[in-house]
């Protein structure tokens, strides 16, 4: 680490980066090869490739270990840098001279800075400013209070202790800027961290994102204003001041009135609906991002302001945001942004912090860091408690907003570049950011289980629902192809009437692409897509509204919703909406679909379905479509594709739930229903509560429907599971729809029904469908018959999938 004289004090202070330019031959770029006598690592290109490869390999290896401890990628990359730096491996002069010489780090840092610029631009594009239109009171209070309290605590303490602080902190603005930076929460950092934790679409995650966006937009505005004030104060003449202000205003006007319309033209006029940007448009957008950094840096503002402003001005989602994610984030940024963080860790020298002369600086800086962190914790918790938030949730929210990352490291690097922070300050602050995040992330995982509220929810089952009560169905649709079979099923089986109404909650689920914040909101009616026509959500909701119009007045009400979330946490939205709307049943499409000629599968949808089965606050049904997709979504009672349904009843809670749903079918007026009761020969019975309940519900069902010509009750006595399979095989092709209980539990009261299927699960392909559901879904069983598998919400919702 080079040392320079501090002219103001006459002392010698180590700087973060060398001030003098490294002398090297600029022709040393490509090596001729070691067999011709060259040393490849003396040339820029081989050295760059070795440096990047080493950092990425070490980062991947460290991530395999640290992620098991709940650590984020930020912590991993920073610790890899510390390992390579003067704290560990960099203590060797030969290692540092060969792999991380001043010449080599200059080139590496330049490339990584380009990655940082594009990262900020990409996050700006994916930032949804609509979150600021109607933010919740909790988000506003948490954001404002969590920012003002640490400032109100830290700045008075700093002014009170200023005379006794070390000389390099006493007359510097470092503490003030540190307090401002740590009092705020960075939206890109919070969004990235919550995405890694699969908490983007949880209640606390949405509050944290909105609160961080409020403070971040404010901070970017204040940062631009402070840079302008600084430049004006340094101006040598009024003309120079006017040039500075005019340059920045011109850039803002260009972004708002030229770049934004051009971006919308590229996104909505030149790009087909649902497609990514063309190669030419993508290159134009990336060049614009790089030039925005160049312009703001050239006129005296920080290079980070330009890309962020331009990104915020461009439309997110499809196609620009999605293209950034697909082509930029997944390659260039993923490749070189870890290098930027590793270089920041590389400059951290922990050995310097153990020296006696550094202890005073260490204690002083850590005091103010601790005041900022604790002040933010107290402010966020206090605001959460004011809005009647549980204390544990308020603490988790405060921890979320205290997560630090690349934006804070970039600020510390900037302080080092401008000589506000010495090498010791830099090491202390970077280590503090790593420790804050390293503690916060595992604590969030430990304290916050977003599925807990669903597991503790009041049980809502069809078995306990009165026949005349309002049936609340949450119907999930992943794509337009799923709408038709679900509508046909609902129309033929829901049995809706004024006396027995159905409240239909329709949720269109799509993957979050090109945006940083998830979405769960009511569908507000027809909106034009980029091609000028209705969106997929519009077409899906219109089909369900047609169902509402075809039904008797007041019999069916449709409440449409749309959700955008990562596949890994999409089940949160399903369970949350079911919980808030008090749904009795969640209806899901199966992850495999077939048109008779070929079948397609989506394993992401399968993961969502399995998670919903595990955490749902009500009963769950999965529809396996083997022929309904070809039908009309607007079928009437006269031409419904479903005419004959069969229920295979083996016993247990799931079969009783299936019977409760099937009992509504004859009321629809179009369905004939056959209930097949399976009994085990020579079974004396265990006298359990489930067996008694099975007999009770079957008796109630037959008493209610014995005079209905469309209802048939049949009992089949079998010897074992092979006999069950034989009966199912012989009967299934006679029906359009087969209804079975999932029977995924292990209750001892199910011993008799377990004997009816013993051994059938040995070759199970889809455990989420249960034994019978999986067997019926296989190709040898009724390829044109659809299957409805129903699971009753367990007494304790711990059912595995």
């Amino acid at each position: 680490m080079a040392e320079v004289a501090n002219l103001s004090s006459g002392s010698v202070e180590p700087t973060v980066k060398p001030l003098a330019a490294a002398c090297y031959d600029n022709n040393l770029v490509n090596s001729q090869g070691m067999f011709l006598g060259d040393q490849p690592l003396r040339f820029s290109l081989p050295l760059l490739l070795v440096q990047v490869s080493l950092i990425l390999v070490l980062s991947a290896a460290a991530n395999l270990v640290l992620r098991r401890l709940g650590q984020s990628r930020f912590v991993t990359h920073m610790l890899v840098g510390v390992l390579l730096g003067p704290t560990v491996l960099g203590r060797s002069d030969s290692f540092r001279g060969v792999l991380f010489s001043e010449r080599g780090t200059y080139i590496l840092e330049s490339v990584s800075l380009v990655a940082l610029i594009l990262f900020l631009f990409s996050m700006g594009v994916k930032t949804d400013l609509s979150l600021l239109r109607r933010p919740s009171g909790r988000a506003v209070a948490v954001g404002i209070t969590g920012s003002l309290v640490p400032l109100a605590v830290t700045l008075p303490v700093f002014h009170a202790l200023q005379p006794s602080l070390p000389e390099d902190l006493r007359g510097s603005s470092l503490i003030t800027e540190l307090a401002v930076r740590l009092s705020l929460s960075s939206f890109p950092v919070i969004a990235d961290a919550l995405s890694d934790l699969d908490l983007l679409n949880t209640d606390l995650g949405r509050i944290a994102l909105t609160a961080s966006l409020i403070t971040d937009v404010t901070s970017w505005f204040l940062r631009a204003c402070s840079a302008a004030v600084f430049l004006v104060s340094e101006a040598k003449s009024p003309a120079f001041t006017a040039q500075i202000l005019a340059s920045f205003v011109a850039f803002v006007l260009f972004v708002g009135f030229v770049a934004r319309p051009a971006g919308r033209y590229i996104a909505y006029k030149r790009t087909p609906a649902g497609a990514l940007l063309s190669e030419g448009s993508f290159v134009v957008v990336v060049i614009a991002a790089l030039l925005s950094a160049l312009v703001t840096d050239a006129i005296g503002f920080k290079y980070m302001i330009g890309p962020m402003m331009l990104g915020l001005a461009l439309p997110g989602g499809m196609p620009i945001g999605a293209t950034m994610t697909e082509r930029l984030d997944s390659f260039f940024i993923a490749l070189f942004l870890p290098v930027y963080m590793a270089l920041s860790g590389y400059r951290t020298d922990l050995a310097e912090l153990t020296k006696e002369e550094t202890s005073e600086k260490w204690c002083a800086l850590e005091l103010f860091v601790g005041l900022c962190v604790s002040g933010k914790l107290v402010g966020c918790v206090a605001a959460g408690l004011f809005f009647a938030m549980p204390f544990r949730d308020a603490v988790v929210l405060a921890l979320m907003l205290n997560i630090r990352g690349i934006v804070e490291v970039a600020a510390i690097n900037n302080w080092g570049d401008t000589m506000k922070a010495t090498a010791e300050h830099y090491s202390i602050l970077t280590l503090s950011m790593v420790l804050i995040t390293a503690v916060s992330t595992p604590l969030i995982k430990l304290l916050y289980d977003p599925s807990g509220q669903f597991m503790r929810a009041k049980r809502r089952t069809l078995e306990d629902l009165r026949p005349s009560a309002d049936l609340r169905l949450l119907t999930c649709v992943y794509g337009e192809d799923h709408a038709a079979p679900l509508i046909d099923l609902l129309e033929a089986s829901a049995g809706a009437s004024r006396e027995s109404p159905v409240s239909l909650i329709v949720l269109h689920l799509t993957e979050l692409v090109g945006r940083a914040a998830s979405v769960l909101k009511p569908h507000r009616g027809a909106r034009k897509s980029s091609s000028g026509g209705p969106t997929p959500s519009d077409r899906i909701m219109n089909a369900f509204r047609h169902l509402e119009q075809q039904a008797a007045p007041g019999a069916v009400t449709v409440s449409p919703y749309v959700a955008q979330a990562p596949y890994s946490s999409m089940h949160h939205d399903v369970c949350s909406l079911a919980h808030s709307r008090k749904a009795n049943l969640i209806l899901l499409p199966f992850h495999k679909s077939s048109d008779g000629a070929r079948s397609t599968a989506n394993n992401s949808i399968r993961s969502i379905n399995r998670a919903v089965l595990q955490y749902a606050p009500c009963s769950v049904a999965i529809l396996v479509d083997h022929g309904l997709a070809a039908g009309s979504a607007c079928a009437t009672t006269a031409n419904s594709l479903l005419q004959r349904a069969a229920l295979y009843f083996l016993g247990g809670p799931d079969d009783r739930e299936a019977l409760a749903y099937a009992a509504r079918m004859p009321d629809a007026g179009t369905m004939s229903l056959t209930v097949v009761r399976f009994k085990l020969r020579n079974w004396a019975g265990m006298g359990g509560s489930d067996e008694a309940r099975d007999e009770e519900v079957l008796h109630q069902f037959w008493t209610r429907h014995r005079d209905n010509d469309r209802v048939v009750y049949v009992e089949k006595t079998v010897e074992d599971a092979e006999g069950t399979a034989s009966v199912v095989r012989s009967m299934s092709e006679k029906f359009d729809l087969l209804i079975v209980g999932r029977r995924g539990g292990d209750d001892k009261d199910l011993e008799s029904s377990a004997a009816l299927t013993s051994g059938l699960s040995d070759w199970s392909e889809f455990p989420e469908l249960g034994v019978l559901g999986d067997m019926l879904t296989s190709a040898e069983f009724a390829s044109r018959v659809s299957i409805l598998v129903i699971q009753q919400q367990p007494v304790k919702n711990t059912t595995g999938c």
Side-chain angles (χ1 to χ4, degrees):
M1 189 71 70
E3 297 184 352
V4 297
N6 190 323
L7 300 178
S8 61
S9 62
S11 61
V12 175
E13 291 288 350
T15 59
V16 177
K17 301 176 186 177
L19 290 181
C23 297
Y24 60 91
D25 186 350
N26 58 11
N27 292 320
L28 296 179
V29 177
N30 296 314
S31 169
Q32 298 297 318
M34 60 182 180
F35 296 109
L36 296 180
D38 279 348
Q39 298 179 15
L41 294 184
R42 293 184 63 245
F43 294 81
S44 300
L45 181 60
L47 180 60
L48 177 66
L49 296 177
V50 169
Q51 289 171 329
V52 172
S53 300
L54 178 63
I55 290 173
L56 294 180
V57 168
L58 290 177
S59 296
N63 188 52
L64 287 175
V65 177
L66 295 178
R67 71 180 178 183
R68 300 179 184 276
L69 303 177
Q71 296 304 327
S72 65
R73 291 173 297 170
F74 165 73
V75 173
T76 299
H77 299 322
M78 293 293 291
L79 291 181
V80 166
V82 172
L83 173 67
L84 296 173
T87 304
V88 187
L89 298 178
R91 295 180 68 86
S92 168
D93 292 337
S94 58
F95 175 85
R96 192 167 61 251
V98 172
L99 288 181
F100 290 96
S101 62
E102 294 174 4
R103 174 176 64 90
T105 54
Y106 284 150
I107 299 173
L108 194 62
E109 183 176 14
S110 299
V111 176
S112 64
L113 279 175
V114 174
L116 176 62
I117 290 169
L118 294 178
F119 169 77
L120 293 173
F121 170 72
S122 179
M123 288 303 299
V125 170
K126 292 185 285 187
T127 299
D128 187 4
L129 292 179
S130 64
L131 294 174
L132 301 179
R133 292 176 185 171
R134 292 183 180 178
S136 66
R138 287 188 298 179
V140 174
V142 168
I144 295 177
T145 308
S147 300
L148 293 181
V149 170
L151 284 176
V153 171
T154 306
L155 294 182
V157 173
F158 169 62
H159 289 296
L161 298 179
Q162 192 170 10
S164 60
L165 292 176
E167 187 176 354
D168 53 2
L169 294 176
R170 193 182 311 156
S172 170
S173 62
L174 177 62
I175 299 299
T176 302
E177 295 189 29
L178 175 67
V180 172
R181 180 64 263 170
L182 293 187
S183 66
L184 303 172
S185 298
S186 171
F187 179 82
V189 170
I190 303 299
D192 187 62
L194 293 181
S195 178
D196 284 347
L197 293 169
D198 283 337
L199 299 177
L200 271 180
N201 56 336
T202 60
D203 292 340
L204 294 187
R206 288 191 169 96
I207 295 174
L209 281 177
T210 305
S212 65
L213 183 59
I214 292 171
T215 60
D216 213 20
V217 169
T218 304
S219 72
W220 282 104
F221 174 77
L222 294 177
R223 198 173 303 171
C225 292
S226 63
V229 170
F230 173 76
L231 290 173
V232 169
S233 65
E234 296 292 317
K236 300 177 182 179
S237 66
F240 187 67
T241 300
Q243 290 176 0
I244 293 172
L245 295 178
S247 299
F248 186 70
V249 171
F251 175 76
V252 173
L253 293 176
F254 176 83
V255 168
F257 294 100
V258 178
R260 179 175 174 79
R264 296 181 66 85
Y265 173 77
I266 291 174
Y268 301 142
K269 300 297 183 181
R270 290 184 56 87
T271 306
L276 299 178
L277 293 180
S278 64
E279 184 177 348
S281 299
F282 171 68
V283 171
V284 168
V285 171
V286 171
I287 291 175
L290 297 177
L291 289 178
S292 67
L294 172 63
V295 170
T296 50
D297 195 63
I299 63 178
F301 293 80
K302 301 302 178 187
Y303 64 88
M304 295 187 293
I305 294 178
M308 199 68 185
M309 288 181 60
L310 180 62
L312 291 173
L314 298 182
M318 288 292 291
I320 297 181
T323 305
M324 294 299 106
T325 302
E326 182 75 18
R327 298 179 183 172
L328 202 62
D329 295 4
S330 59
F331 175 68
F332 188 81
I333 293 178
L335 197 63
F336 289 103
L337 201 61
V339 173
Y340 180 84
M341 290 183 278
L343 277 178
S344 302
Y346 173 81
R347 300 188 189 99
T348 302
D349 189 357
L350 301 184
E352 288 289 331
L353 304 183
T354 60
K355 296 181 180 179
E356 185 177 352
E357 58 268 23
T358 312
S359 60
E360 188 178 2
K361 297 178 183 179
W362 170 278
C363 293
L365 273 178
E366 287 301 321
L367 168 65
F368 294 110
V369 170
L371 286 174
C372 289
V373 173
S374 57
K376 193 167 186 67
L377 285 170
V378 170
C380 293
V381 170
L385 295 178
F386 178 80
F387 281 88
M389 186 181 293
F391 178 76
R392 186 167 183 165
D393 288 355
V395 171
V396 171
L397 181 59
L399 290 172
M400 288 179 176
L401 291 172
N402 255 315
I403 293 176
R404 304 299 165 184
I406 190 169
V407 173
E408 285 74 23
V409 169
I412 297 171
N413 277 325
N414 178 60
W415 296 335
D417 293 341
T418 56
M419 304 288 291
K420 293 176 183 176
T422 64
E424 290 87 355
H425 299 155
Y426 182 91
S427 298
I428 294 169
L429 293 177
T430 51
L431 178 62
S432 300
M433 300 305 105
V434 172
L435 289 176
I436 292 170
T437 304
V439 172
S440 298
T441 307
L443 282 178
I444 292 171
K445 286 187 174 182
L446 178 66
L447 297 176
Y448 187 45
D449 178 14
S451 302
Q453 60 175 320
F454 311 131
M455 299 176 68
R456 297 187 296 269
K458 177 183 177 181
R459 294 184 75 235
R460 300 185 183 279
T461 64
L462 299 178
E463 182 184 353
D464 299 327
L465 191 68
R466 299 191 316 274
S468 60
D470 182 15
L471 175 61
R472 295 175 175 267
L473 291 178
L474 172 58
T475 304
C476 298
V477 183
Y478 299 106
E480 293 183 67
D481 292 341
H482 294 146
L486 289 170
I487 289 175
D488 286 332
L489 172 68
L490 292 169
E491 189 173 39
S493 64
S497 64
R498 289 183 179 180
E499 294 74 23
S500 182
V502 173
S503 295
L504 195 58
I505 306 141
V506 183
L507 177 61
H508 181 206
L509 294 154
T510 56
E511 184 183 11
L512 182 67
V513 178
R515 293 192 182 276
S518 63
V519 174
L520 175 60
K521 62 182 181 181
H523 181 262
R524 297 298 185 186
R527 294 176 295 109
K528 289 187 177 182
S529 66
S530 58
S531 61
T535 64
S537 294
D538 293 335
R539 291 190 288 269
I540 290 171
M541 299 311 169
N542 288 339
F544 280 93
R545 286 193 180 97
H546 183 81
L547 171 66
E548 181 182 19
Q549 295 167 2
Q550 292 291 102
V556 177
T557 58
V558 174
S559 301
Y561 287 83
V562 292
Q564 289 182 328
Y567 279 135
S568 58
S569 59
M570 196 174 281
H571 65 281
H572 289 314
D573 286 333
V574 178
C575 295
S576 176
L577 187 59
H579 182 253
S580 63
R581 294 301 304 266
K582 299 179 181 179
N584 305 109
L585 180 70
I586 298 173
L587 184 56
L588 302 168
F590 191 49
H591 73 279
K592 291 184 70 175
S593 59
S594 173
D595 59 4
R598 60 186 178 87
S599 62
T600 58
N602 188 324
N603 287 324
S604 297
I605 293 178
R606 183 184 186 187
S607 298
I608 298 168
N609 290 349
R610 291 165 67 111
V612 172
L613 283 168
Q614 182 174 359
Y615 298 115
C618 60
S619 298
V620 181
I622 297 179
L623 174 64
V624 183
D625 172 41
H626 279 166
L628 299 186
S632 169
C634 305
T636 64
T637 57
N639 64 2
S640 175
L641 296 174
L642 292 177
Q643 301 292 336
R644 298 163 299 173
L647 166 68
Y648 295 140
F649 190 95
L650 281 69
D654 292 347
D655 282 27
R656 294 197 299 270
E657 194 75 358
L659 180 64
Y661 183 84
R664 288 177 169 262
M665 291 183 173
D667 298 331
T670 62
M671 294 287 292
S672 66
L673 174 65
T674 301
V675 177
V676 183
R677 169 76 185 280
F678 285 85
K679 286 187 174 182
L680 193 65
R681 191 181 302 277
N682 299 325
W683 176 257
M686 300 291 293
S689 59
D690 257 9
E691 289 186 11
R693 181 61 180 161
D694 290 344
E695 296 297 332
E696 179 184 354
V697 297
L698 284 169
H699 176 73
Q700 292 174 353
F701 169 80
W702 186 236
T703 301
R704 178 184 173 190
H705 294 288
R706 70 168 62 244
D707 297 327
N708 194 328
D709 294 338
R710 292 191 302 272
V711 179
V712 177
Y713 176 77
V714 179
E715 290 189 354
K716 296 289 184 179
T717 302
V718 297
E719 298 285 349
D720 50 21
E722 186 177 347
T724 302
S726 177
V727 172
V728 169
R729 184 181 295 109
S730 64
M731 296 186 66
S732 293
E733 292 186 357
K734 303 175 183 178
F735 302 99
D736 305 314
L737 176 69
L738 303 175
I739 306 172
V740 296
R742 178 170 178 261
R743 307 176 66 253
D746 56 357
D747 197 317
K748 292 181 180 179
D749 284 338
L750 299 180
E751 185 175 344
S752 61
S753 60
L756 292 168
T757 58
S758 177
L760 296 181
S761 61
D762 293 346
W763 298 277
S764 178
E765 184 180 1
F766 307 114
E768 64 269 25
L769 298 181
V771 177
L772 280 185
D774 177 75
M775 182 177 68
L776 291 167
T777 306
S778 62
E780 62 177 298
F781 278 95
S783 61
R784 299 295 294 178
V785 177
S786 295
I787 302 107
L788 184 66
V789 181
I790 299 180
Q791 171 190 274
Q792 185 181 83
Q793 182 190 6
V795 177
K796 292 184 179 179
N797 203 343
T798 56
T799 302
C801 299

